[in-house]
Amino acid sequence: PAPRRGVSGMKIALVGAGAIGCWLGARLARQSQTPITLSVLARGESLHAIQAQGVQLSIAGQTLQAPVHASDKAADLGVQDLVLVALKAPALGEVAAQLSPMIGPHTVVLTAMNGVPWWFLQGQKAETGATRLHTIDPDGVIERAIPATQVLGCVVHASCALLGRGHAKHHFGNGLIVGEPMGGRSDRAERTVALLCAAGFDATLSSHIQKDIWYKLWGNMTVNPISAMTGATTDQVLADPLVRAFMSRVMLEAQSIGTRLGLPIDQQPEDRHAITAKLGKFKSSMLQDVEARRVVELDALVSAVRELGQRTGVDTPFTDALLGLSRLHARGLGLYPAA
């Protein structure tokens, strides 16, 4: 199956109208190559705001507005050609079970999420002895709700922030990497990349999307929780030599895990620090979540790495310390489940 254009155009549903979701949804809805009907699954105050004003995006000095059909019931939105999941990872377990009315036999589910997704071990080397990550999908709720054969992965290289409910501001970055969980190329992945390019994104097709996920995670898994704990912007985090050295030790552990999973990284931590430093001063997404008192996605960024270390036989004392400290901090704020 592939995202396809029906008689009246293409039906796209956005699940997760946060900063990245609004950025993606607004630009897709306003591209001119394919007529698109954009729907949004939302609830509470976000639903009311989106019903009133659509999805908004402030970018390059202007504000784009995209009319949408918004509801808190997937059955109201109906079967879609493309379901774009841009939720924070902790929210997906609860939402996944509600998505079935939107997923037909030809629907593509594109996951644009931070960290390690629930389908990450599909198509990977059998180093872990399992296909499910307990830290991400402990009871298999997501796996049962979203057909694995209909999923495409998407790695986002962009920074956005919410200005209000249903209204995002784009800061920098325009990259999207799309790929099949089982690897290789496919017609549906190529069609999806073409659609994203038509909307103005720098979209590319990956033959091994897990490599791209792991590389992005390699930087995010340290900067995000450290900035969330300390309130420091990325430039401040990198400027402290002790913190920078600690980050490097965590990254070396993740690098060893990736090698055993067939996801080698041919850089050193300092190479990645230099790339992050070039982006200048900004607040990580997890720091933004803490400041807004939103639940943090520690499991997708750190807990999953620790679990993969245990499964591949890689010791992770520095990752363990990072997880323990950041988890304790988030629990104190009510932003992570109690033990």
Side-chain angles (χ1 to χ4, degrees), residues 1 4 79 103-107 150:
R4 51 189 170 70
V79 174
I103 302 175
H106 300 291
T107 303
Q150 293 177 238

Side-chain angles (χ1 to χ4, degrees), residues 36-278:
I36 285 177
T37 300
L38 182 65
S39 298
V40 179
L41 186 67
R43 60 186 178 184
E45 293 182 17
S46 292
L47 172 62
H48 300 317
I50 292 169
Q51 286 175 328
Q53 65 190 23
V55 168
Q56 295 180 299
L57 173 65
S58 294
I59 182 170
Q62 59 178 326
T63 297
L64 309 179
Q65 187 169 25
V68 301
H69 178 204
S71 176
D72 58 359
K73 298 179 179 63
D76 292 344
L77 307 180
V79 174
Q80 304 288 314
D81 298 306
L82 178 66
V83 174
L84 180 55
V85 180
L87 287 168
K88 294 289 185 181
L92 185 56
E94 179 183 350
V95 174
Q98 306 170 25
L99 300 183
S100 59
M102 295 194 298
I103 302 175
H106 300 291
T107 303
V108 169
V109 180
L110 185 69
T111 60
M113 303 171 67
N114 263 340
V116 177
W118 80 94
W119 50 261
F120 186 76
L121 292 178
Q122 290 186 41
Q124 282 302 109
K125 292 169 62 179
E127 289 285 345
T128 64
T131 58
R132 184 193 306 162
L133 286 162
H134 294 292
T135 48
I136 305 300
D137 190 18
D139 301 313
V141 171
I142 304 172
E143 187 177 71
R144 290 192 297 272
I146 302 176
T149 56
Q150 293 177 238
V151 171
L152 282 179
C154 180
V155 179
V156 177
H157 288 288
S159 175
C160 301
L162 276 177
L163 295 181
R165 297 183 186 276
H167 186 180
K169 178 179 176 61
H170 175 260
H171 292 307
F172 60 83
N174 195 44
L176 299 173
I177 306 173
V178 174
E180 289 281 356
M182 295 301 292
R185 303 176 71 89
S186 69
D187 180 63
R188 67 178 183 178
E190 291 178 353
R191 288 174 181 259
T192 301
V193 168
L195 174 69
L196 294 168
C197 287
F201 298 108
D202 297 329
T204 56
L205 180 60
S206 171
S207 61
H208 195 173
I209 191 66
Q210 285 90 341
K211 282 186 177 181
D212 303 286
I213 290 171
W214 198 253
Y215 180 71
K216 181 182 178 184
L217 175 77
W218 198 48
N220 284 356
M221 70 171 294
T222 54
V223 171
N224 268 274
I226 289 172
S227 65
M229 283 188 286
T230 62
T233 52
T234 53
D235 60 319
Q236 294 171 321
V237 170
L238 289 171
D240 188 301
L242 297 181
V243 174
R244 190 166 173 141
F246 173 72
M247 291 167 59
S248 294
R249 297 299 293 268
V250 175
M251 293 168 72
L252 288 172
E253 293 174 354
Q255 190 172 28
S256 294
I257 295 167
T259 298
R260 297 200 181 185
L261 291 172
L263 308 172
I265 295 174
D266 60 357
Q267 292 183 349
Q268 294 304 308
E270 278 299 327
D271 299 325
R272 184 56 187 267
H273 296 331
I275 293 172
T276 304
K278 289 180 181 178

